[in-house]
Amino acid sequence: MSAREEVLHRIRRATKDVTEPDPVVDVPVDWAYGRPLGTEDVIADFVEKVEDYKAAVRRCAPDRAADTIVEALQALDTKSIVVPAGFPEPWVTALSEAGFTLHSDDPQLTHAELNAIDAVVTTAAVGMADSGTIALDHGEGQGRRALTLLPDRHICVVHEYQVVSDVPEGIARLAPGLRERRPVTWLSGGSATSDIELSRVEGVHGPRHLSVVLVAD
């Protein structure tokens, strides 16, 4: 008996008791893509997972968001910031009044100019608790991808209502942007990689520091 015949023989033997040819009918799956997990506390799970990636998380009430963003930037010894279009104006005003040097991306900054700027501030599209991942679909307040890849520090504002249980549920939230063919940038802590000896190197393909401002509903 050839190897092929042996494989087919084993398949026939394993499936000889299957009488229903339609696998959907034979083994019904009570599951739908994007359905939320039964996580007891999605926000607490999100905070724990984000902090596991060595990212800082600051929680605040809506009326404290601007002050908390300023605190996050000051904690990272930031002087200059690139602010994408659509970032809430009251927050931009607070940054200006705090003494930061603000840069607009209109006209677009060069890669060299972005690399010389200390930090970028953005909003987000969705946060996924099960993996501690934040996704940007580069809509209003998020800027183009280069803005979140070249500066050394990234302050990302996430609202609690944007936090979902896991990645499939997050993908469902991202669907409108994906249908518009917008790029998606995935953040799981600051940029880092390890060589074969597990020597950690930070900032190889993105900001070394990620600080999340989590705004309560």
Side-chain angles (χ1 to χ4, degrees):
M1 183 181 294
S2 68
R4 178 178 180 277
E5 291 169 337
E6 175 66 18
V7 170
L8 292 174
H9 173 70
R10 292 186 182 187
I11 292 173
R12 293 188 189 101
R13 185 173 61 191
T15 59
K16 66 180 180 180
D17 61 337
V18 177
T19 58
E20 173 55 60
D22 186 348
V24 175
V25 176
D26 182 49
V27 186
V29 178
D30 184 23
W31 182 81
Y33 189 86
R35 180 185 298 176
L37 298 177
T39 308
E40 183 175 344
D41 190 334
V42 172
I43 301 301
D45 191 31
F46 176 72
V47 171
E48 179 184 353
K49 299 296 174 53
V50 171
E51 290 179 337
D52 280 346
Y53 286 116
K54 299 183 178 180
V57 179
R58 287 176 169 79
R59 303 183 67 172
C60 65
D63 60 354
R64 284 278 303 159
D67 292 336
T68 307
I69 294 168
V70 170
E71 291 168 6
L73 287 160
Q74 290 173 337
L76 292 173
D77 193 27
T78 304
K79 300 293 189 295
S80 57
I81 310 165
V82 56
V83 181
F87 197 71
E89 197 59 39
W91 300 352
V92 178
T93 300
L95 295 175
S96 179
E97 292 176 349
F100 298 109
T101 301
L102 305 185
H103 297 269
S104 169
D105 193 41
D106 184 19
Q108 286 191 356
L109 299 166
T110 67
H111 288 179
E113 289 170 331
L114 284 171
N115 192 51
I117 296 173
D118 294 336
V120 60
V121 290
T122 72
T123 56
V126 66
M128 291 154 272
D130 192 47
S131 63
T133 302
I134 299 168
L136 280 62
D137 64 2
H138 301 283
E140 285 293 301
Q142 298 170 54
R144 58 192 173 100
R145 292 197 71 196
L147 269 60
T148 57
L149 295 176
L150 291 173
D152 193 52
R153 308 158 181 87
H154 183 180
I155 309 301
C156 187
V157 183
V158 181
H159 292 270
E160 286 187 355
Y161 65 79
Q162 294 179 300
V163 179
V164 298
S165 61
D166 64 354
V167 173
E169 192 181 357
I171 292 292
R173 289 280 188 97
L174 291 167
L178 294 172
R179 293 192 184 100
E180 293 176 7
R181 297 186 177 275
R182 292 208 301 265
V184 175
T185 299
W186 302 79
L187 311 173
S188 296
S191 168
T193 189
S194 297
D195 62 18
I196 196 170
E197 295 178 349
L198 300 182
S199 297
R200 181 180 173 91
V201 180
E202 299 177 340
V204 175
H205 41 64
R208 287 186 301 161
H209 305 283
L210 173 65
S211 188
V212 178
V213 173
L214 184 59
V215 183
D217 293 337

